[in-house]
């Protein structure tokens, strides 16, 4: 059979851009160019037969497809660099198992990072919450006296016949309270007040006078429209023998004071009062309550040298952020007087018990209660372990700067180890004062207490380990300053949880936070209880807000 004519082999030359050739392997290019031809089929009219049989058309299609595959692979490889690419760019083969494994690992890493960040944010939020101040509800100092009070002031200030002398005892904060009541009693009697005499402290042997601790000229100036304050008796009364009164009853009312003291005043001209501690009634007419606040929060300012040093110490504490002032009541005499035990060791407890037996008059707690009963009743100071657990539960960060006020604890520095181990930024005035700064006041416990008081008043947060005159005074001062944060340990309710060793820490922290949710210095009104001291609860008698009216 003869061969058909026109069957000679045709060779076509194709021009391919070098950039595309470089991006393809030789095997890939060969497979594309030498692929078998398929039989032509009848196509729709919009594609002509000559177009379909033209090798350049198919080569163009293949080249475009390969170029798109290459670009896609390059982008995908950047996202998943661990997935091996197929040697044939136009034929993408991926193993599903590998993708699944890598995707899971990536997701897990993202989740772990997210959880880690959440933990950091939660910790930061918790620390920020710890330093957050309570809502003061807009209360501010408000000491406007009635017209009747201002009208009688002229008569009181002009009187030159009656002079009240007072002797105040105890520690510095106890003396403050008695001075406040002395001014009010002088106003009730219409008498001039001789600068109070500070009795030598039996425990510390402090011989400080009024002007050593308080700014006397400021005291006189602030009270100039309320009570006449004189430094000494005038010559007209020097020969008068002052009538001494030691039997002022508890909760003495203004009526009782007038009935019992005015007759003596009119006869002798001078009255000497001792033992005023908590003798004047807590519930007084509004004007006299405001006078109490005026004395406590305005007139009784510490002497300039005390304020200067205390402000320096407070600035050193705040130089690296906010700080907490902690009033620790862990001195030996405190354990003896409260009938409680420090819990440091059996030897330390034995020393306290022996001291109490030798000096039973020091015991101020009820003697018919055992130590354990006092503890559960919330009558004992918190020790260092309990203070540490409370602060941690309330969210205090380990980096918190703590200023501890008070005398040296029984047991020395070892008694503080639970606190210093958890909160290493732990300082007192001796740590922060420069050499020689405290030396002028070394023999005055009252001045040392005044320094602690001022630094505590300036702190961001204050917490006492036990109630007392200083804690009550600072609570009132911080409330009067706009309800700065003040943590009141809810000892009676929280101690059972302290004794429960099986309670998980997270659950313990949650319970302690709930117990103290309303004990962080929020406004607590004296009107809820008439026997409350207005210098501890100044709102609303001595304070007012836009939503309240003055009493």
């Amino acid at each position: 059979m003869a061969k058909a004519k026109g069957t000679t082999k045709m060779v076509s030359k194709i021009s391919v851009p070098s950039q595309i050739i470089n991006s393809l392997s030789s095997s890939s290019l060969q497979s594309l160019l030498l692929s078998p031809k398929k039989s032509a089929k009848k196509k729709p009219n919009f594609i002509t037969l000559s177009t379909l049989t033209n090798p350049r058309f198919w080569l163009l299609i293949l080249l475009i497809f390969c170029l798109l595959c290459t670009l896609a692979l390059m982008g995908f490889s950047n996202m998943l660099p661990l997935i091996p690419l197929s040697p044939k760019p136009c034929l993408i083969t991926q193993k599903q198992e590998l993708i699944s494994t890598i995707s899971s690992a990536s997701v897990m890493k993202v989740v772990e990072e997210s959880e880690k960040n959440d933990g950091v944010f939660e910790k930061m939020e918790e620390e920020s919450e710890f330093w957050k101040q309570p809502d003061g509800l807009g209360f501010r100092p408000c000491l406007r006296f009635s017209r009747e009070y201002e009208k009688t002031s002229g008569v009181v200030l002009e009187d030159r016949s009656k002079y009240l002398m007072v002797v105040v005892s105890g520690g510095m904060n106890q003396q403050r309270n008695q001075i406040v009541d002395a001014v009010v009693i002088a106003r009730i009697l219409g008498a001039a007040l001789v600068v109070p005499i500070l009795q030598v402290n039996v425990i510390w042997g402090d011989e400080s006078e009024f002007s050593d601790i308080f700014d006397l000229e400021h005291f006189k100036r602030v009270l100039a429209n309320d009570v006449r304050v004189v430094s000494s008796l005038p010559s007209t009364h020097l020969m008068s023998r002052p009538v001494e009164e030691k039997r002022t009853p508890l909760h003495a009312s203004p009526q009782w004071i007038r009935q019992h003291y005015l007759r003596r005043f009119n006869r002798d001209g001078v009255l000497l009062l001792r033992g005023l501690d908590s003798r004047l009634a807590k519930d007084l007419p509004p004007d006299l309550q405001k006078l109490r606040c005026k004395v406590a929060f305005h007139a009784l300012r510490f002497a300039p040298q005390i304020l200067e040093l205390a402000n320096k110490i407070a600035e050193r504490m705040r130089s690296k952020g906010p700080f907490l002032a902690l009033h620790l009541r862990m001195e030996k005499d405190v354990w003896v007087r409260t009938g409680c035990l420090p819990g440091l060791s059996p030897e330390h407890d034995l020393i306290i018990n022996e001291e109490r037996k030798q000096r039973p008059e020091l015991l101020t707690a009820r003697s018919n209660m055992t130590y354990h009963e006092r503890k559960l009743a919330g009558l004992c100071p918190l020790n260092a372990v309990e203070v540490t657990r409370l602060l941690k539960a309330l969210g205090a960060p380990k980096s918190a700067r703590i200023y501890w006020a008070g005398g040296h604890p029984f047991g020395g520095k070892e008694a503080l180890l639970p606190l210093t181990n958890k909160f290493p930024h732990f300082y007192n005035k001796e740590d922060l004062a420069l050499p020689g700064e405290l030396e002028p006041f070394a023999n005055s416990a009252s001045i040392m207490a005044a320094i602690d008081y001022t630094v505590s008043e300036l702190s961001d947060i204050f917490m006492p380990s036990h109630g007392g005159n200083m804690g009550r005074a600072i609570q009132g001062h911080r409330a009067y300053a706009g309800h700065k944060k003040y943590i009141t340990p809810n000892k009676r309710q929280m101690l059972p949880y302290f004794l429960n060793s099986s309670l998980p820490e997270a659950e313990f922290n949650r319970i302690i936070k709930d117990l103290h949710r309303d004990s962080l210095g929020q406004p607590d009104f004296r009107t809820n209880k008439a026997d409350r001291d207005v210098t501890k609860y100044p709102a609303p008698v001595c304070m007012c807000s836009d939503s309240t009216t003055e009493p």
Side-chain angles (χ1 to χ4, degrees):
M1 180 181 291
K3 292 183 180 181
K5 295 180 181 179
T7 58
T8 59
K9 188 174 182 180
M10 301 291 293
V11 179
S12 301
K13 294 183 178 179
I14 303 172
S15 176
V16 182
S18 61
Q19 293 87 344
I20 296 179
I21 292 176
N22 292 335
S23 66
L24 301 175
S25 63
S26 58
S27 58
S28 299
L29 185 58
Q30 185 178 4
S31 62
L32 291 173
L33 296 177
L34 302 180
S35 59
K37 295 180 182 179
K38 296 181 181 179
S39 56
K41 295 182 180 179
K42 189 174 181 180
K43 301 295 180 183
N45 293 334
F46 63 87
I47 298 178
T48 62
L49 181 60
S50 61
T51 303
L52 293 175
T53 57
N54 190 338
R56 292 188 177 184
F57 172 78
W58 289 108
L59 182 59
L60 181 61
I61 295 297
L62 290 172
L63 291 177
I64 293 173
F65 182 73
C66 290
L67 180 61
L68 292 175
C69 289
T70 302
L71 294 175
L73 282 172
M74 290 174 65
F76 189 73
S77 64
N78 290 333
M79 290 185 289
L80 294 175
L82 298 179
I83 300 179
L85 301 179
S86 169
K88 296 182 180 181
C90 297
L91 184 62
I92 304 174
T93 59
Q94 302 174 356
K95 294 183 179 180
Q96 192 66 33
E97 295 83 359
L98 182 60
I99 295 176
S100 177
T101 302
I102 293 175
S103 299
S104 299
S106 301
V107 170
M108 287 300 295
K109 185 176 181 181
V110 171
V111 170
E112 289 175 1
E113 288 294 327
S114 177
E115 290 177 349
K116 183 178 179 181
N117 291 335
D118 287 344
V120 172
F121 290 141
E122 285 178 6
K123 185 177 181 181
M124 291 174 61
E125 185 177 355
E126 185 179 79
E127 293 180 5
S128 176
E129 187 70 21
F130 178 75
W131 298 111
K132 184 179 179 182
Q133 296 295 319
D135 185 358
L137 302 179
F139 277 92
R140 63 187 184 279
C142 206
L143 296 179
R144 293 179 183 173
F145 295 90
S146 68
R147 290 184 179 179
E148 182 64 24
Y149 180 91
E150 294 176 349
K151 183 178 179 180
T152 57
S153 292
V155 178
V156 170
L157 297 174
E158 290 175 4
D159 191 299
R160 296 291 188 273
S161 63
K162 300 189 290 290
Y163 291 87
L164 175 65
M165 299 178 66
V166 294
V167 177
V168 297
S169 59
M172 188 276 295
N173 291 289
Q174 195 173 358
Q175 291 172 345
R176 282 175 58 93
N177 295 337
Q178 295 172 57
I179 293 170
V180 170
D181 284 354
V183 172
V184 176
I185 292 174
R187 173 75 192 199
I188 293 172
L189 295 172
L193 176 67
V194 181
V195 173
I197 301 168
L198 308 188
Q199 183 174 305
V200 177
N201 193 286
V202 178
I203 297 176
W204 298 291
D206 192 340
E207 299 181 357
S208 299
E209 297 182 357
F210 186 97
S211 58
D212 294 327
I213 302 173
F214 304 104
D215 189 333
L216 178 56
E217 295 307 314
H218 176 81
F219 183 75
K220 292 179 178 180
R221 186 167 54 253
V222 171
L223 297 176
N225 295 325
D226 305 279
V227 172
R228 192 163 63 92
V229 180
V230 297
S231 298
S232 59
L233 286 174
S235 58
T236 54
H237 289 69
L238 286 178
M239 301 303 293
S240 300
R241 184 176 180 181
V243 179
E244 186 173 350
E245 176 59 62
K246 298 180 181 179
R247 297 174 296 175
T248 305
L250 288 172
H251 314 302
S253 66
Q255 293 77 13
W256 188 96
I257 290 172
R258 292 191 187 98
Q259 289 173 3
H260 287 77
Y261 294 152
L262 275 179
R263 184 180 302 175
R264 297 183 187 182
F265 253 142
N266 294 332
R267 184 186 65 199
D268 302 300
V270 180
L271 176 66
L272 173 62
L273 295 181
R274 294 179 182 271
L276 281 180
D277 195 23
S278 300
R279 296 289 167 178
L280 184 62
K282 298 292 185 287
D283 196 17
L284 298 174
D287 284 327
L288 294 180
Q289 296 287 53
K290 292 179 181 181
L291 179 57
R292 263 181 166 156
C293 291
K294 188 173 183 178
V295 180
F297 304 136
H298 296 277
L300 278 176
R301 188 172 72 183
F302 291 120
Q305 64 271 21
I306 296 175
L307 291 180
E308 182 181 1
L309 179 55
N311 285 326
K312 288 180 180 178
I313 292 175
E315 289 172 5
R316 290 164 193 167
M317 280 298 300
R318 185 170 282 110
S319 62
K320 296 183 180 179
F323 72 96
L324 161 75
L326 178 63
H327 188 209
L328 290 176
R329 303 302 308 280
M330 296 171 58
E331 302 95 327
K332 182 179 179 180
D333 70 290
V334 175
W335 296 118
V336 173
R337 287 188 291 104
T338 57
C340 301
L341 297 175
L344 295 172
S345 68
E347 291 76 17
H348 286 89
D349 291 347
L350 180 61
I351 293 173
I352 296 299
N353 278 325
E354 289 299 320
E355 184 82 12
R356 194 176 296 130
K357 289 178 183 178
Q358 294 174 11
R359 304 185 65 184
E361 73 277 4
L362 294 179
L363 180 62
T364 55
R366 283 173 284 179
S367 58
N368 62 339
M369 296 178 70
T370 66
Y371 158 64
H372 188 67
E373 289 172 338
R374 290 191 184 99
K375 186 79 171 176
L376 291 179
L379 300 176
C380 291
L382 297 176
N383 58 34
V385 173
E386 293 160 344
V387 170
T388 303
R389 294 191 68 190
L390 175 58
L391 289 176
K392 287 180 62 182
L394 294 177
K398 187 175 182 179
S399 60
R401 295 171 62 80
I402 298 178
Y403 177 87
W404 68 277
H408 292 284
F410 178 59
K413 291 184 178 180
E414 292 183 4
L416 300 175
L417 283 178
L419 267 165
T420 55
N421 287 340
K422 294 296 181 182
F423 301 100
H425 303 292
F426 197 78
Y427 312 96
N428 66 359
K429 53 186 172 292
E430 283 82 7
D431 299 322
L432 297 164
L434 298 179
E437 283 185 324
L438 289 174
E439 193 172 329
F441 317 121
N443 296 322
S444 175
S446 294
I447 292 179
M448 291 294 194
I451 294 172
D452 278 343
Y453 188 103
T454 305
V455 177
S456 298
E457 185 186 343
L458 296 172
S459 67
D460 298 274
I461 302 175
F462 177 81
M463 188 182 88
S465 65
H466 188 55
N469 291 303
M470 179 169 171
R472 287 192 289 269
I474 291 182
Q475 180 175 343
H477 241 122
R478 295 180 75 84
Y480 197 72
H483 294 92
K484 294 168 65 178
K485 191 167 185 177
Y486 181 105
I487 301 172
T488 305
N490 195 337
K491 290 187 288 186
R492 183 174 297 179
Q493 294 188 38
M494 76 182 184
L495 281 175
Y497 299 103
F498 277 75
L499 300 174
N500 186 357
S501 58
S502 63
L503 195 64
E505 184 177 5
E507 181 66 9
F508 172 82
N509 293 348
R510 184 192 65 78
I511 293 172
I512 297 302
K513 276 188 176 181
D514 287 342
L515 288 177
H516 291 83
R517 204 167 295 279
D518 298 323
S519 304
L520 303 176
Q522 302 93 330
D524 192 0
F525 304 127
R526 184 188 168 276
T527 50
N528 297 340
K529 291 185 179 180
D531 60 346
R532 286 181 166 182
D533 192 338
V534 72
T535 59
K536 182 179 179 182
Y537 302 96
V541 178
C542 299
M543 303 181 75
C544 53
S545 68
D546 295 336
S547 59
T548 63
T549 57
E550 296 180 51

